[in-house]
Amino acid sequence: MAFNFDIFCTVVDNFGDIGVTWRLARQLHDEGHGPVRLWVDDLASFSRICPTIDPAQESQSAGGITIQHWHADADLAPARVVIEAFACELPTPYKARMQHMAPPPAWLNLEYLSAEEWVEGCHALPSPQGRLNKHFFFPGFTDKTGGLLCERDLMAQRQAWQSDKDGLADYWESLGLPPPGRDELRISLFAYESEAIPSLIEAWRQGPAPITLLVPVGRALPQVLATLGVESAHPGDRFDDGALTVVVLPMTDQVGYDRLLWSCDLNIVRGEDSFVRAQWAARPFLWHIYPQEEEYHLVKLEAFLDRYLASHPQSRATWIRGLMLALNRGEPCQALWQGWDAQCNGWQEEASLWPDRLLAGGDLVTRLVKFLETKI
């Protein structure tokens, strides 16, 4: 069954919300589920991850998807499926049109991702809104949730990329780097500010093995530079300090970011979109979750770690949990980092199995379409 979709996104944290909704829009379109119109209030931020976007255009097309600049007075005919991302408020005139549609549209609120147990009980629940029912669609890690965004051919693409030695050598050359040395570790860092980052920099530059740190332009870069005693940097710049080499990368589109994650030995990621993509990379990763009031983000982190670490031996699970909590609490990580050599191989083995476990019940779009087929 084919539908047509309106997806609404308010850009809250630069790239997280738009990252998720752009991936959702592309997958719905590319896998043939119907035309998609993506409404975005901040086209300038959007253009950072989709360079073909012109922030001055009210309406344009990108990859076959209509990109509509979102205004509060938007008054266009609604689609058969309306998705408001992360509890954003639909424009009043648009919502009034929805109330008079016959048959009524399917209306979903795409919620934030959480591994907490209560999500299973709230997923797909309706909320009456006049003539309409708005359903809450929760991404998640179990069969009783909405699953995770993952394109149909993504795992095959990733496996092909990681097994192509010549292709990887070309990739590193495009970043101005040779292939990794025998004992070299390559780490990507796309995080929020954290007092833990300088301690990691210290551990890496004083360590016994070479480490190359790849840092896209973003919020963590100034901290990295300050720790190195560097005032400013531009994409392409490279800094050597002890065992550590830091390479500054430009912002990239989502395909480019996936390839960076696939290519590194360890990925430090943030928010929701890069968090999920790090899991599909099948590599060890550290999640720097978005800080919330009263440290509720740590509750969400612990809930995820309970699931993610369930198959790890206790010693490794304790070490990974400690490292992630230290990163998120802004605590020193130098002593914890010393456990990397002992734990990395086992972590890599489990990381390679994790994506298949998550996809056993289907990806988010597969589950979303099955749900819609019961509503339209």
Side-chain angles (χ1 to χ4, degrees):
M1 180 183 296
F3 307 95
N4 66 317
F5 299 85
D6 272 336
I7 304 173
F8 287 81
C9 174
T10 299
V11 180
V12 176
D13 183 43
N14 292 329
F15 310 113
D17 296 351
I18 185 57
V20 172
T21 51
W22 179 226
R23 288 194 194 276
L24 173 61
R26 284 166 43 215
Q27 188 177 350
L28 287 168
H29 171 270
D30 293 348
E31 296 183 2
H33 298 296
V36 181
R37 181 168 53 185
L38 177 59
W39 298 72
V40 184
D41 67 339
D42 182 357
L43 295 177
S45 291
F46 188 9
S47 68
R48 298 286 301 282
I49 62 170
C50 182
T52 62
I53 295 294
D54 180 356
Q57 293 293 319
E58 289 297 300
S59 183
Q60 57 198 292
S61 179
I65 297 162
T66 300
I67 310 299
Q68 187 73 39
H69 192 194
W70 176 1
H71 299 289
D73 58 353
D75 191 15
L76 298 179
R80 291 290 291 116
V81 180
V82 179
I83 301 175
E84 54 182 37
F86 315 121
C88 63
E89 184 64 30
L90 297 179
T92 299
Y94 181 96
K95 193 156 51 174
R97 281 179 174 261
M98 290 171 59
Q99 293 285 351
H100 294 94
M101 287 177 63
W107 182 9
L108 304 178
N109 180 21
L110 179 65
E111 290 283 353
Y112 286 104
L113 171 62
S114 177
E116 295 168 278
E117 291 185 2
W118 63 264
V119 167
E120 292 185 341
C122 295
H123 174 61
L125 288 182
S127 172
Q129 309 280 324
R131 292 182 58 248
L132 307 175
N133 270 329
K134 176 166 67 174
H135 289 83
F136 295 93
F137 200 89
F138 281 84
F141 297 87
T142 73
D143 290 345
K144 296 180 181 179
T145 68
L148 301 173
L149 278 172
C150 182
E151 299 88 339
R152 188 179 295 157
D153 59 351
L154 184 69
M155 295 299 101
Q157 289 182 27
R158 186 259 298 164
Q159 290 167 1
W161 179 272
Q162 291 177 338
S163 62
D164 183 0
K165 291 184 178 180
D166 291 338
L168 283 168
D170 291 341
Y171 175 73
W172 291 123
E173 185 178 3
S174 74
L175 300 181
L177 293 168
R182 179 179 177 183
D183 298 322
E184 181 185 352
L185 181 66
R186 293 204 166 163
I187 302 173
S188 76
L189 174 64
F190 184 63
Y192 303 112
E193 300 87 347
S194 170
E195 292 303 317
I197 290 176
S199 70
L200 284 170
I201 299 292
E202 290 294 335
W204 294 335
R205 68 183 180 182
Q206 295 175 15
I211 290 179
T212 299
L213 181 66
L214 300 123
V215 190
V217 170
R219 289 174 57 170
L221 179 59
Q223 264 194 310
V224 173
L225 297 178
T227 306
L228 299 177
V230 177
E231 291 187 1
S232 63
H234 300 91
D237 287 350
R238 171 174 172 162
F239 305 96
D240 296 300
D241 191 334
L244 178 65
T245 296
V246 174
V247 179
V248 180
L249 303 181
M251 279 295 298
T252 183
D253 61 14
Q254 291 182 322
V255 172
Y257 186 63
D258 279 337
R259 291 172 176 172
L260 175 65
L261 296 174
W262 297 347
S263 304
C264 289
D265 304 294
L266 171 68
N267 296 299
I268 304 176
V269 297
R270 74 184 207 195
E272 180 169 326
D273 182 54
S274 57
F275 165 54
V276 172
R277 303 313 279 197
Q279 293 173 72
W280 300 145
R283 294 286 168 84
F285 73 94
L286 299 176
W287 181 27
H288 195 191
I289 190 170
Y290 187 79
Q292 293 180 287
E293 293 182 1
E294 298 181 359
E295 296 192 331
Y296 186 70
H297 59 292
L298 297 182
V299 175
K300 298 173 81 170
L301 175 61
E302 292 272 23
F304 168 71
L305 290 173
D306 287 345
R307 298 187 187 279
Y308 181 66
L309 299 176
S311 59
H312 290 253
Q314 186 60 49
S315 60
R316 188 191 311 135
T318 299
W319 175 75
I320 294 172
R321 186 184 298 269
L323 194 54
M324 283 216 207
L325 286 171
L327 173 65
N328 281 275
R329 290 171 175 161
E331 297 171 348
C333 293
Q334 284 173 280
L336 280 164
W337 179 255
Q338 304 312 310
W340 170 263
D341 287 341
Q343 304 292 355
C344 64
N345 289 337
W347 191 358
Q348 174 57 59
E349 290 175 7
E350 285 295 326
S352 68
L353 300 173
W354 180 244
D356 289 339
R357 294 171 186 160
L358 292 180
L359 290 171
D363 65 283
L364 186 145
V365 164
T366 298
R367 300 185 198 191
L368 174 65
V369 169
K370 287 181 178 178
F371 176 78
L372 290 172
E373 288 172 347
T374 70
K375 301 301 175 185
I376 292 182

